[in-house]
Amino acid sequence: GKPLWKSKVSSEVLSAPKVSGGIVVVRAGDSRIFGLNAADGKRKWVYERVTPTLSLRSSAGVVIDGGMVYAGFAGGKLIAVRLEDGKVKWEASVAQPKGSTEIERIADITSLPVVDGSLVYAVAYQGKIAGIDRATGHIAWSRDISSYTGMSSEDARVFVSHAGGAVYALEYSSGKRF
């Protein structure tokens, strides 16, 4: 139970760290993602982006799969960065902020992405759910479903809870409803 190391990041950490390939990945409350050496806690890389003036507070962390780190952000963006060095592989727009007020323009990804096969799925509040090609970052399909609580997948289906109180089951490769 004796601490091996301690590493300070830019702000509070709102989600559990993820560990893969000797790298600890943490997401800070200021939208920065840190890659720390698991052996000594030294910073290997940091990914940062500008946060809109108004966004939903989220405790969504990151998902690591196949040497990539996937994370959703305010403004409806999903990113894929390389675990080894934090370099961006691609960025996809799941939702476009729209409206005349700051509140109407909130289109944030507030839940963990779901990785299943060749696609990664993300859903935005006041936006869409999308299946995104993991290799290229191109949107394979999208549907107008808003959620701030997230989704899961099983048996070739993606399950998402709509902000209006419904639960949808979507075919994972096309997004069609079952």
Side-chain angles (χ1 to χ4, degrees):
K2 186 175 114 185
L4 297 176
W5 54 263
K6 177 179 171 181
S7 184
K8 190 141 175 85
V9 295
S10 58
S11 69
E12 64 187 325
V13 176
L14 300 175
S15 60
K18 302 289 181 169
V19 183
S20 180
I23 299 175
V24 178
V25 180
V26 295
R27 183 174 183 164
D30 60 2
S31 296
R32 290 186 175 111
I33 299 174
F34 294 85
L36 309 172
N37 186 312
D40 59 15
K42 289 194 180 351
R43 186 180 299 172
K44 292 183 66 94
W45 54 263
V46 88
Y47 170 83
E48 60 184 292
R49 68 180 302 115
V50 177
T51 304
T53 308
L54 185 62
S55 64
L56 298 174
R57 182 171 171 90
S58 171
S59 60
V62 300
V63 173
I64 300 174
D65 190 275
M68 299 301 294
V69 178
Y70 300 96
F73 288 92
K77 302 291 185 190
L78 181 75
I79 59 137
V81 298
R82 294 189 331 210
L83 176 64
E84 66 186 39
D85 59 12
K87 301 276 189 231
V88 176
K89 182 174 181 184
W90 51 256
E91 179 179 287
S93 291
V94 174
Q96 294 293 328
K98 54 187 169 211
S100 56
T101 67
E102 290 290 326
I103 291 176
E104 289 174 337
R105 286 190 293 272
I106 294 174
D108 300 353
I109 297 175
T110 59
S111 60
L112 285 173
V114 171
V115 178
D116 191 346
S118 64
L119 298 178
V120 58
Y121 307 93
V123 64
Y125 175 67
Q126 295 189 153
K128 298 178 180 235
I129 182 172
I132 301 147
D133 185 286
R134 291 175 59 186
T136 64
H138 292 113
I139 306 267
W141 59 263
S142 69
R143 300 288 174 266
D144 289 325
I145 297 175
S146 169
S147 178
Y148 50 83
T149 55
M151 65 197 142
S152 65
S153 68
E154 187 171 310
D155 295 331
R157 293 184 177 121
V158 177
F159 300 91
V160 62
S161 56
H162 189 280
V167 176
Y168 290 91
L170 307 173
E171 200 275 326
Y172 78 96
S173 63
S174 69
K176 291 180 182 173
R177 284 195 295 179
F178 279 92

